[in-house]
């Protein structure tokens, strides 16, 4: 797939479901994604766990992006975007506005280079964590989850 001088090709691209999705305050929900518009070399468990299992062993560049807003009354304190491999976090980014004043929208992006073995026991998914000042849920405006195969092994 990717070789010296060749550009890595996207093998997974999906975005946030079109119907409004909310993240409850101080919970770690799995992000619900649409059916991927690109899904090469992998299995997508979209209607159940929203996990992706690449079928080719190799090194992948994986990126997840989330953009949320408050419900209009509360203020966002923090937003975490975490990428999981199997049972553990492999990349996480936290946007924390406690010392920045009132915040009504946040974007958090996580990315990582990761080795995947191409078996059904190796999978990726994304979770979010939102904290608001009054305990209300945050509304998801948009986001995406994507991967590129950098080198097959």
């Amino acid at each position: 797939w990717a070789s010296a001088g060749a550009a890595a090709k996207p093998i997974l691209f999906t975005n946030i479901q079109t119907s409004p999705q909310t993240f409850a305050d101080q919970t770690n929900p799995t992000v619900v994604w649409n059916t991927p518009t690109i899904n090469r070399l992998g299995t997508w468990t979209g209607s159940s766990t929203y996990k992706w299992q690449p079928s080719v062993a190799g090194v992948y560049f994986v990126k997840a992006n989330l953009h949320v807003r408050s419900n209009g009354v509360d203020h966002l304190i923090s937003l975490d975007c975490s990428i999981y491999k199997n049972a553990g976090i492999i990349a996480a980014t936290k946007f924390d506005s406690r010392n920045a004043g009132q915040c009504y929208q946040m974007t958090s992006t996580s990315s990582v280079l990761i080795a995947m073995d191409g078996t059904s026991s190796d999978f990726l998914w994304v979770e979010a964590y939102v904290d608001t000042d009054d305990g209300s849920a945050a509304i998801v405006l948009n986001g995406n989850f994507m991967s590129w195969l950098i080198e097959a092994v």
Side-chain angles (χ1 to χ4, degrees):
W1 257 76
S3 60
K9 297 180 180 181
I11 59 166
L12 174 70
F13 179 82
T14 185
N15 55 14
I16 291 287
Q17 287 205 359
T18 52
S19 60
Q21 186 177 158
T22 58
F23 295 151
D25 187 52
Q26 297 184 352
T27 63
N28 288 80
T30 297
V31 179
V32 176
W33 306 98
N34 283 321
T35 300
T37 54
I38 298 172
N39 184 13
R40 300 180 184 109
L41 307 176
T43 301
W44 179 252
T45 61
S47 61
S48 57
T49 61
Y50 300 95
K51 293 178 180 177
W52 183 67
Q53 298 169 317
S55 58
V56 174
V59 177
Y60 291 80
F61 176 73
V62 181
K63 178 182 164 203
N65 177 54
L66 298 171
H67 181 186
V68 301
R69 72 171 173 84
S70 69
N71 67 11
V73 177
D74 64 330
H75 302 119
L76 297 168
I77 296 171
S78 66
L79 168 64
D80 297 8
C81 176
S82 301
I83 301 172
Y84 284 75
K85 177 183 175 189
N86 304 334
I89 296 173
I90 58 169
T93 303
K94 181 182 195 82
F95 185 100
D96 191 324
S97 70
R98 280 180 283 204
N99 296 320
Q102 298 176 343
C103 190
Y104 294 98
Q105 291 190 28
M106 290 182 176
T107 299
S108 185
T109 302
S110 293
S111 60
V112 65
L113 280 171
I114 186 72
M116 302 293 288
D117 66 16
T119 67
S120 62
S121 63
D122 218 5
F123 49 88
L124 301 170
W125 80 95
V126 179
E127 288 187 4
Y129 177 88
V130 174
D131 188 11
T132 62
D133 66 351
D134 71 352
S136 61
I139 299 166
V140 181
L141 297 175
N142 57 55
N144 51 57
F145 181 34
M146 59 191 84
S147 180
W148 293 262
L149 175 61
I150 303 302
E151 181 180 27
V153 294

